[in-house]
Short mmCIF file of all heavy atoms in Angstrom, two decimals:
data_model
loop_
_atom_site.label_atom_id
_atom_site.label_comp_id
_atom_site.label_asym_id
_atom_site.label_seq_id
_atom_site.Cartn_x
_atom_site.Cartn_y
_atom_site.Cartn_z
N TYR G 203 -9.30 38.57 150.84
CA TYR G 203 -8.88 39.39 149.74
C TYR G 203 -7.42 39.49 149.62
O TYR G 203 -6.71 39.35 150.72
CB TYR G 203 -9.52 40.85 149.76
CG TYR G 203 -11.00 40.90 149.69
CD1 TYR G 203 -11.69 40.92 150.90
CD2 TYR G 203 -11.64 40.75 148.54
CE1 TYR G 203 -13.15 40.98 150.78
CE2 TYR G 203 -12.95 40.89 148.42
CZ TYR G 203 -13.78 40.93 149.57
OH TYR G 203 -15.14 40.95 149.55
N ASP G 204 -6.81 39.90 148.66
CA ASP G 204 -5.41 40.32 148.42
C ASP G 204 -5.38 41.79 148.41
O ASP G 204 -6.23 42.47 147.74
CB ASP G 204 -4.70 39.74 147.20
CG ASP G 204 -4.70 38.22 147.19
OD1 ASP G 204 -4.79 37.55 148.28
OD2 ASP G 204 -4.54 37.71 146.00
N LEU G 205 -4.43 42.43 149.07
CA LEU G 205 -4.24 43.85 148.95
C LEU G 205 -3.02 44.08 148.12
O LEU G 205 -1.92 43.63 148.34
CB LEU G 205 -3.95 44.47 150.52
CG LEU G 205 -3.71 45.91 150.51
CD1 LEU G 205 -4.86 46.74 150.04
CD2 LEU G 205 -3.32 46.30 151.89
N VAL G 206 -3.34 44.84 146.99
CA VAL G 206 -2.23 45.00 145.98
C VAL G 206 -1.98 46.53 145.87
O VAL G 206 -2.96 47.36 145.75
CB VAL G 206 -2.83 44.43 144.58
CG1 VAL G 206 -1.70 44.61 143.58
CG2 VAL G 206 -3.13 42.93 144.92
N ASP G 207 -0.75 46.95 145.81
CA ASP G 207 -0.53 48.37 145.67
C ASP G 207 -0.54 48.75 144.13
O ASP G 207 -0.86 47.92 143.33
CB ASP G 207 0.93 48.74 146.20
CG ASP G 207 2.07 48.19 145.41
OD1 ASP G 207 1.87 47.72 144.24
OD2 ASP G 207 3.24 48.25 145.96
N GLU G 208 -0.37 49.96 143.91
CA GLU G 208 -0.54 50.58 142.54
C GLU G 208 0.32 49.95 141.57
O GLU G 208 0.12 50.01 140.22
CB GLU G 208 -0.42 52.11 142.48
CG GLU G 208 0.93 52.66 142.85
CD GLU G 208 1.27 52.75 144.43
OE1 GLU G 208 0.25 52.43 145.23
OE2 GLU G 208 2.24 53.34 144.70
N ASN G 209 1.39 49.30 142.01
CA ASN G 209 2.43 48.69 141.00
C ASN G 209 2.15 47.23 140.79
O ASN G 209 2.88 46.52 140.15
CB ASN G 209 3.83 48.90 141.53
CG ASN G 209 4.21 50.29 141.66
OD1 ASN G 209 3.90 51.11 140.68
ND2 ASN G 209 4.88 50.75 142.73
N GLY G 210 1.13 46.62 141.48
CA GLY G 210 0.69 45.28 141.32
C GLY G 210 1.40 44.45 142.39
O GLY G 210 1.22 43.16 142.28
N LYS G 211 2.27 44.90 143.20
CA LYS G 211 2.83 44.14 144.29
C LYS G 211 1.80 43.74 145.40
O LYS G 211 1.16 44.56 145.98
CB LYS G 211 3.94 44.93 144.94
CG LYS G 211 4.73 44.20 146.02
CD LYS G 211 5.80 45.05 146.68
CE LYS G 211 6.43 44.26 147.78
NZ LYS G 211 7.32 45.15 148.58
N VAL G 212 1.71 42.49 145.74
CA VAL G 212 0.86 42.02 146.75
C VAL G 212 1.44 42.32 148.11
O VAL G 212 2.47 41.82 148.47
CB VAL G 212 0.59 40.47 146.63
CG1 VAL G 212 -0.34 39.99 147.74
CG2 VAL G 212 0.05 40.10 145.24
N LEU G 213 0.62 43.16 148.83
CA LEU G 213 1.14 43.56 150.18
C LEU G 213 0.61 42.53 151.29
O LEU G 213 1.28 42.30 152.19
CB LEU G 213 0.67 45.00 150.38
CG LEU G 213 1.05 46.00 149.44
CD1 LEU G 213 0.46 47.39 149.77
CD2 LEU G 213 2.63 46.09 149.47
N VAL G 214 -0.64 42.15 151.03
CA VAL G 214 -1.21 41.11 152.00
C VAL G 214 -2.02 40.15 151.12
O VAL G 214 -2.72 40.52 150.13
CB VAL G 214 -2.26 41.92 152.94
CG1 VAL G 214 -2.87 40.91 153.85
CG2 VAL G 214 -1.54 42.92 153.77
N LYS G 215 -1.81 38.94 151.46
CA LYS G 215 -2.41 37.83 150.69
C LYS G 215 -3.56 37.09 151.44
O LYS G 215 -3.25 36.71 152.58
CB LYS G 215 -1.38 36.88 150.10
CG LYS G 215 -2.00 35.83 149.18
CD LYS G 215 -0.98 35.40 148.22
CE LYS G 215 -1.46 34.50 147.18
NZ LYS G 215 -2.51 35.02 146.26
N ASP G 216 -4.66 36.88 150.85
CA ASP G 216 -5.74 36.06 151.32
C ASP G 216 -6.14 36.32 152.80
O ASP G 216 -6.06 35.53 153.72
CB ASP G 216 -5.27 34.66 151.22
CG ASP G 216 -6.46 33.56 151.37
OD1 ASP G 216 -7.61 33.99 150.97
OD2 ASP G 216 -6.28 32.46 151.97
N LYS G 217 -6.54 37.48 153.08
CA LYS G 217 -6.90 37.94 154.59
C LYS G 217 -8.19 38.56 154.43
O LYS G 217 -8.74 39.12 153.48
CB LYS G 217 -5.86 38.92 155.07
CG LYS G 217 -4.47 38.43 155.28
CD LYS G 217 -4.40 37.40 156.33
CE LYS G 217 -3.00 36.96 156.64
NZ LYS G 217 -2.83 35.85 157.51
N ALA G 218 -8.87 38.55 155.60
CA ALA G 218 -10.28 39.10 155.79
C ALA G 218 -9.98 40.69 156.06
O ALA G 218 -9.96 41.06 157.20
CB ALA G 218 -11.01 38.43 156.82
N LEU G 219 -9.73 41.31 155.10
CA LEU G 219 -9.36 42.72 155.18
C LEU G 219 -10.35 43.73 155.55
O LEU G 219 -10.14 44.78 156.08
CB LEU G 219 -8.67 43.30 153.84
CG LEU G 219 -7.45 42.52 153.47
CD1 LEU G 219 -6.89 42.95 152.01
CD2 LEU G 219 -6.32 42.68 154.53
N LEU G 220 -11.65 43.38 155.34
CA LEU G 220 -12.77 44.32 155.68
C LEU G 220 -13.49 44.10 157.02
O LEU G 220 -14.16 44.86 157.52
CB LEU G 220 -13.82 44.21 154.64
CG LEU G 220 -13.41 44.63 153.17
CD1 LEU G 220 -14.56 44.50 152.12
CD2 LEU G 220 -12.82 46.02 153.16
N SER G 221 -13.20 42.86 157.62
CA SER G 221 -13.81 42.61 158.94
C SER G 221 -12.70 41.86 159.67
O SER G 221 -12.70 40.56 159.74
CB SER G 221 -15.08 41.71 158.67
OG SER G 221 -15.60 41.46 159.97
N LEU G 222 -11.90 42.51 160.37
CA LEU G 222 -10.67 42.01 161.03
C LEU G 222 -10.97 41.42 162.45
O LEU G 222 -10.25 40.65 162.91
CB LEU G 222 -9.57 43.12 161.17
CG LEU G 222 -9.17 43.71 159.82
CD1 LEU G 222 -8.18 44.82 160.09
CD2 LEU G 222 -8.52 42.64 158.90
N LYS G 223 -12.04 41.92 163.09
CA LYS G 223 -12.34 41.53 164.45
C LYS G 223 -13.81 41.12 164.67
O LYS G 223 -14.63 41.43 163.89
CB LYS G 223 -11.95 42.57 165.40
CG LYS G 223 -10.49 42.95 165.40
CD LYS G 223 -10.07 43.89 166.46
CE LYS G 223 -8.64 44.13 166.51
NZ LYS G 223 -8.24 45.07 167.56
N ASP G 224 -14.05 40.53 165.72
CA ASP G 224 -15.41 40.09 166.20
C ASP G 224 -15.75 41.03 167.28
O ASP G 224 -15.05 41.41 168.21
CB ASP G 224 -15.49 38.66 166.55
CG ASP G 224 -15.49 37.75 165.36
OD1 ASP G 224 -15.74 38.14 164.30
OD2 ASP G 224 -15.33 36.51 165.60
N TYR G 225 -17.02 41.37 167.35
CA TYR G 225 -17.63 42.10 168.36
C TYR G 225 -17.84 41.31 169.73
O TYR G 225 -18.22 40.18 169.62
CB TYR G 225 -18.97 42.50 167.88
CG TYR G 225 -19.75 43.79 168.39
CD1 TYR G 225 -18.99 44.98 168.52
CD2 TYR G 225 -20.96 43.74 168.81
CE1 TYR G 225 -19.69 46.16 169.01
CE2 TYR G 225 -21.67 44.90 169.34
CZ TYR G 225 -21.00 46.06 169.41
OH TYR G 225 -21.61 47.17 169.82
#
Side-chain angles (χ1 to χ4, degrees):
Y203 298 95
D204 294 342
L205 178 62
V206 181
D207 71 11
E208 65 274 3
N209 298 319
K211 180 182 176 189
V212 177
L213 304 174
V214 179
K215 184 150 185 69
D216 195 36
K217 297 287 181 190
L219 298 173
L220 299 180
S221 184
L222 302 174
K223 295 185 176 185
D224 283 344
Y225 203 53

